[in-house]
Amino acid sequence: MFTRKKSLLFLILSGVLAMIATVLFFTNHPAEEGEVDAAVQPYYLNSYEDSRAAFRSLAMHWKSEGAVVESFRVPSAVDDDLTIDTLYIPPKGRPEKLVIIASGTHGIEAFTGSAVQRYFLERILPDLDRTNLGVLAVHAVNPYGFRYERRVSEHNVDLNRNWDVEPSLFQATNEGYEIVNEMLNPKGKVDLGSMDNRFFAVRSIMQIVQHGMPALRQAILQGQYAHPQGLYFGGRTFEPQKALLEPLFKKTAASYSHVLLIDLHTGFGERGRLHLFPNAIRDPAVRARLEAVFAGYQIDYGDTEDFYTTTGDFSEYMGKLLDDKIYLPMVFEYGTMDSQTTSGSIRSLHNMIVENQGFWHGYESDDDEAEAKRRFREHYNPTSHIWRTKVIHDSDALLRRSIANFLSLKD
């Protein structure tokens, strides 16, 4: 009798939650409120080519101060003009503190990352004390994803699941992923009007009730190395970026005692909020330094059930690479979809599933393709002038304050 009552309760609860999720899934969000600063909108450009040209032009202005400008061509079977562009600006005096600011690890996210980088180089860096401060800007870590508006590389690799100093990374297993593999990676052409897509929220909420949100979030987002056409595939070997950039990181950081990494991302979290994610830092000394540098701002360490950890993470790799330095990693994540909520996380996941399915299997109609790609672009590159204004304004305040704090660190 207890088992039957429990099963009935489960069905009732699942049904109620499924109905709520479906309503939320198809409910339009209220109009955004906030200011629009017309002066910052030109930093957001419409293509990889335009963003790269603007970065290169800005980089050349720094050459008069001894800056080093480099371009690394990423090998490709489909495009011979994919480059990662870098700018190293040395300190005016003795090197002590190095800031590395990177964009486009997830390609399409570089529309915002590039805007923030160029704003920083043009409007913030000239005001900072550069006596002992060096800056390395790495533009478009994933140029393929930037140009073709995907998060992943040409090989469907999520670059933020592909970094490590040892290839044993690719032996990592994610048993939880197998539970949701079928839902995450459907076969066949995308039909947004299909029952599977119309009732995606229902299917998702059933999974949440059965397995729990924290376990599902970890299983989906951790990274997986078994399904090359699947979401969050970390690869079977290192992508070319590692061999191209690793010597640069080592050479540039060699003469510095402290390194602050700022890795720019969009997508996860509360819309319009700049989240700080250092990816589960457990060392109390590193945490203390991060708290000092980002004093006054909330840092989400990813060690509660509301967050997740990843394998092959770029910021963690950099810590291993620069293990003789005082190293402080921080991901700047500009939220777009309110994915801290259940409905937002379901919407976000659906956008990713449909985009990946369409890439591999095509679309039932031109309308399906146009709508799926529109949703994906808005997910990672919002066109809202209010959102874009807030990103730049919040970045300005945080970068000025945190770098000044970084320069003041004594240990």
Side-chain angles (χ1 to χ4, degrees):
M1 180 64 69
F2 173 76
T3 302
R4 294 177 65 181
K5 286 183 177 180
K6 185 176 180 182
S7 297
L8 180 61
L9 180 62
F10 175 81
L11 289 173
I12 293 172
L13 178 61
S14 298
V16 171
L17 290 175
M19 286 188 290
I20 293 172
T22 302
V23 171
L24 292 172
F25 190 68
F26 289 106
T27 300
N28 292 326
H29 292 294
E32 282 185 299
E33 296 182 358
E35 66 176 303
V36 173
D37 183 351
V40 306
Q41 304 306 318
Y43 285 96
Y44 294 88
L45 301 175
N46 294 323
S47 70
Y48 161 70
E49 294 85 352
D50 289 347
S51 299
R52 179 176 65 176
F55 179 85
R56 287 176 172 178
S57 176
L58 184 56
M60 294 305 293
H61 286 295
W62 283 96
K63 290 198 74 172
S64 62
E65 299 196 35
V68 178
V69 180
E70 296 184 85
S71 184
F72 300 88
R73 189 178 71 83
V74 178
S76 167
V78 299
D79 193 324
D80 62 0
D81 187 33
L82 299 175
T83 61
I84 303 168
D85 293 272
T86 65
L87 167 65
Y88 170 60
I89 304 170
K92 295 180 178 180
R94 181 168 58 87
E96 292 180 0
K97 308 286 176 63
L98 175 66
V99 171
I100 300 175
I101 182 167
S103 70
T105 299
H106 291 141
I108 193 171
E109 299 175 23
F111 285 99
T112 295
S114 176
V116 172
Q117 277 181 317
R118 287 181 283 105
Y119 181 90
F120 168 73
L121 292 170
E122 188 171 41
R123 302 283 292 274
I124 299 176
L125 185 56
D127 296 336
L128 299 179
D129 179 2
R130 291 177 41 233
T131 304
N132 305 113
L133 172 68
V135 171
L136 174 63
V138 184
H139 184 265
V141 174
N142 176 9
Y144 170 87
F146 194 175
R147 172 168 278 171
Y148 296 99
E149 298 189 4
R150 302 202 73 209
R151 287 179 78 254
V152 294
S153 75
E154 181 177 337
H155 308 115
N156 201 50
V157 171
D158 183 323
L159 286 186
N160 220 27
R161 310 295 187 275
N162 185 252
W163 297 89
D164 208 331
V165 295
E166 297 292 342
S168 57
L169 166 70
F170 304 106
Q171 305 304 313
T173 58
N174 181 354
E175 295 179 2
Y177 191 90
E178 302 305 321
I179 297 172
V180 288
N181 179 40
E182 185 176 348
M183 183 180 75
L184 295 181
N185 303 304
K187 310 297 183 185
K189 294 182 178 180
V190 171
D191 178 0
L192 292 177
S194 69
M195 296 298 288
D196 279 350
N197 282 314
R198 286 185 178 276
F199 288 93
F200 180 79
V202 176
R203 295 162 58 213
S204 299
I205 210 71
M206 295 292 282
Q207 292 279 357
I208 292 170
V209 170
Q210 184 175 358
H211 301 290
M213 178 63 91
L216 281 177
R217 183 183 286 117
Q218 184 63 44
I220 294 169
L221 301 176
Q222 173 183 318
Q224 56 87 14
Y225 302 88
H227 304 280
Q229 293 186 2
L231 291 181
Y232 299 104
F233 177 56
R236 295 279 171 77
T237 188
F238 294 117
E239 288 293 276
Q241 278 81 349
K242 181 177 184 290
L244 291 172
L245 294 177
E246 191 168 285
L248 173 69
F249 293 142
K250 288 182 175 179
K251 177 182 67 175
T252 305
S255 57
Y256 291 87
S257 59
H258 295 63
V259 177
L260 171 64
L261 171 68
I262 298 172
D263 192 14
L264 303 169
H265 289 261
T266 62
F268 184 82
E270 179 183 344
R271 184 173 177 85
R273 180 180 170 190
L274 200 175
H275 298 267
L276 300 179
F277 296 134
N279 196 30
I281 298 294
R282 294 179 175 84
D283 186 327
V286 176
R287 283 200 178 202
R289 294 185 186 106
L290 287 172
E291 296 289 347
V293 169
F294 296 98
Y297 291 86
Q298 179 180 339
I299 300 175
D300 296 315
Y301 289 101
D303 54 0
T304 70
E305 67 174 17
D306 296 326
F307 296 97
Y308 62 93
T309 57
T310 62
T311 52
D313 178 80
F314 175 56
S315 62
E316 188 173 342
Y317 153 80
M318 288 288 284
K320 295 176 182 178
L321 187 70
L322 307 176
D323 61 355
D324 61 332
K325 311 294 179 186
I326 292 177
Y327 170 71
L328 303 176
M330 188 58 72
V331 169
F332 283 19
E333 183 87 36
Y334 303 96
T336 64
M337 293 283 292
D338 287 332
S339 56
Q340 81 285 358
T341 67
T342 299
S343 59
S345 64
I346 291 173
R347 285 171 178 263
S348 300
L349 182 60
H350 188 247
N351 287 343
M352 291 192 61
I353 289 172
V354 168
E355 187 275 340
N356 190 59
Q357 181 186 359
F359 178 82
W360 291 109
H361 304 292
Y363 299 86
E364 284 289 351
S365 70
D366 291 344
D367 288 344
D368 285 321
E369 180 175 8
E371 177 61 14
K373 291 184 175 180
R374 183 197 68 79
R375 293 180 188 178
F376 194 71
R377 282 193 298 271
E378 277 295 319
H379 186 163
Y380 293 106
N381 178 29
T383 53
S384 163
H385 289 178
I386 294 173
W387 185 88
R388 292 179 172 186
T389 295
K390 194 167 190 309
V391 164
I392 295 295
H393 286 188
D394 289 354
S395 299
D396 184 293
L398 179 55
L399 286 167
R400 290 180 187 276
R401 183 171 178 177
S402 61
I403 294 176
N405 290 340
F406 178 56
L407 292 174
S408 298
L409 280 181
K410 300 301 182 184
D411 62 345

